[in-house]
Amino acid sequence: MIRRAVKVGSDRELVGIYPRRADLPRSVFRDAIGRASSRLWFGGYTSYFLWLEMPGVSATLKAKASAGADLRFLLGDPDSPVTAERERIEATPLTLSTRIAMTRAELGKVGTVIPVLFSARHLAMSVWVFDEEAIVATHIGAGLGQDSVTLHLRRCQDGGAFDRYVEHFESLWTDGKPAPQH
């Protein structure tokens, strides 16, 4: 009885699960970004929604970078065959390539240099890491990123789900290629 009421296993890192990223309250991203002081890693294929759903995010990113936080953006490679195939499947006028370009343009307005790498390996899963919190979206079917099942995690143990997703991001980052300068 108590085990069901209190998380005692590996699932204790799971703060919430949402059937779609669109169901995740905007405050979860906003608050996680606001609380983070050392690590803000954005591993979404486009992460374009940040500028639509979070007023003032550019100023927040600039302040975090100025305070010494490790900011990184891992975006999809707009020229990869993986991106082209996904654009065919999504069949939406606002293509992945366009959303990637828009995110890069917004990052250019932040007023500080934020490292951006391209990868085509993370199309099926987005991982955003904010100090000891992570938001993970697992893309399914032909839906857009907003249709992805989404997890909110908080680190509680070595080698738990949070650490595994951080390792995933780090692997993608290591294999990423620098985005061309604008």
Side-chain angles (χ1 to χ4, degrees):
M1 180 67 120
I2 290 186
R3 182 166 171 74
R4 284 186 298 201
V6 177
K7 291 183 178 186
V8 294
S10 61
D11 67 334
R12 70 180 181 249
E13 292 191 325
L14 182 63
V15 176
I17 184 168
Y18 304 86
R20 288 168 194 75
R21 194 191 71 224
D23 298 329
L24 180 78
R26 288 182 181 173
S27 62
V28 173
F29 260 105
R30 185 184 63 240
D31 294 349
I33 290 170
R35 283 189 294 268
S37 60
S38 62
R39 172 172 57 186
L40 293 96
W41 294 353
F42 297 84
Y45 210 77
T46 72
S47 291
Y48 168 65
F49 70 93
L50 292 169
W51 283 268
L52 296 176
E53 297 178 6
M54 297 186 58
V57 72
S58 291
T60 300
L61 294 177
K62 183 176 182 176
K64 298 290 181 177
S66 295
D70 177 11
L71 268 72
R72 303 178 188 184
F73 271 79
L74 181 69
L75 300 174
D77 183 344
D79 298 324
S80 81
V82 172
T83 300
E85 176 61 12
R86 187 61 192 187
E87 287 178 344
R88 185 193 66 74
I89 291 168
E90 288 184 0
T92 182
L94 191 57
T95 65
L96 286 171
S97 299
T98 300
R99 287 177 271 159
I100 292 165
M102 294 172 93
T103 292
R104 295 203 56 219
E106 291 299 328
L107 285 171
K109 297 175 188 175
V110 170
T112 190
V113 176
I114 297 174
V116 177
L117 295 184
F118 283 161
S119 170
R121 289 185 40 217
H122 69 299
L123 182 65
M125 181 176 5
S126 295
V127 178
W128 299 277
V129 181
F130 310 107
D131 288 349
E132 302 295 303
E133 287 185 75
I135 299 168
V136 178
T138 57
H139 302 271
I140 56 176
L144 301 175
Q146 66 194 13
D147 297 321
S148 303
V149 174
T150 302
L151 309 172
H152 178 200
L153 303 169
R154 187 165 293 123
R155 187 176 193 283
C156 293
Q157 63 192 18
D158 290 342
F162 175 90
D163 285 353
R164 298 286 315 276
Y165 284 116
V166 167
E167 290 167 7
H168 174 69
F169 181 99
E170 289 173 325
S171 169
L172 295 172
W173 187 261
T174 298
D175 293 344
K177 68 178 190 181
Q181 296 296 321
H182 277 356

